[in-house]
Amino acid sequence: MHPHAPRHAALLVLPLLLSACGWFGPTHTARNLDNRLRQRLASDIASGNAALQPIPDGARVTLLSPSSFPVDEQALDDQRRDVRASVIEGLLDPSLMRIQLTDTSALPAYQRDLRVSNMARYFQVNGLDSTLQPAPMQQTAPPGAPPGLLIDVTLQCPPNRGGAGYSDGKSKPICD
């Protein structure tokens, strides 16, 4: 064996490991979120009821329908199809996410407020109230986003604490 072989191997492996870092961590988790949402919302995207945009630290879902998205018995008991359920099914661990709701549609202000309130209530009823953040002051659609009810999902990746699993009985979610 050549005496410098381990050094040469390390020099070859190091660039490979550094390039692989982009496939893991927050960037990888954001891609997972985007892929899950794209899969769950496929029929709504195809029918023009929703749009999905990746953003650097998460994903933006825009609900394009002028519906008021009521929180009624039929919606909560899955008695009718609801795009909000598809959004929730596409999300990741709630402890990794922060969600902001904004309505940038052309509806009157009271209807936009009602839609945001109904959407927030739907998230709360489904156990996601800890993820909801105050709405941004901006009430216009960001560049590239169609007007509608915006659901901005941003990832909040905790520092890697070492170890994995549930050794202390509590979940340790990480951005993989």
Side-chain angles (χ1 to χ4, degrees):
M1 183 168 155
H2 193 279
H4 299 289
R7 278 191 218 155
H8 292 289
L11 290 174
L12 291 173
V13 171
L14 186 59
L16 179 64
L17 289 174
L18 291 174
S19 67
C21 288
W23 290 101
F24 300 101
T27 303
H28 184 252
T29 304
R31 275 196 309 269
N32 283 343
L33 174 65
D34 184 65
N35 289 339
R36 284 179 55 95
L37 286 166
R38 191 166 306 285
Q39 180 185 20
R40 298 293 184 186
L41 292 166
S43 64
D44 291 298
I45 292 170
S47 64
N49 293 325
L52 177 64
Q53 292 177 290
I55 55 178
D57 55 351
R60 174 176 294 128
V61 176
T62 306
L63 304 182
L64 304 170
S65 165
S67 168
S68 63
F69 302 111
V71 183
D72 59 16
E73 193 69 30
Q74 289 182 333
L76 297 176
D77 286 346
D78 291 330
Q79 294 177 10
R80 65 170 182 241
R81 188 176 183 313
D82 194 324
V83 66
R84 296 174 296 180
S86 298
V87 171
I88 288 175
E89 289 170 359
L91 297 176
L92 302 175
D93 186 314
S95 66
L96 297 177
M97 298 178 300
R98 301 297 173 260
I99 298 173
Q100 283 187 323
L101 306 172
T102 311
D103 196 324
T104 61
S105 69
L107 293 170
Y110 77 92
Q111 285 182 323
R112 290 192 313 263
D113 291 344
L114 178 63
R115 285 164 38 106
V116 169
S117 174
N118 286 347
M119 181 63 75
R121 180 75 181 121
Y122 191 84
F123 274 70
Q124 291 166 347
V125 166
N126 284 284
L128 295 170
D129 50 331
S130 66
T131 66
L132 295 174
Q133 303 297 299
M137 296 304 291
Q138 175 184 339
Q139 295 296 313
T140 58
L149 182 63
L150 302 180
I151 305 168
D152 283 342
V153 182
T154 55
L155 296 169
Q156 300 292 311
C157 297
N160 191 347
R161 298 174 289 224
Y166 302 86
S167 60
D168 61 357
K170 297 180 182 176
S171 170
K172 294 181 185 177
I174 59 167
C175 292
D176 60 356

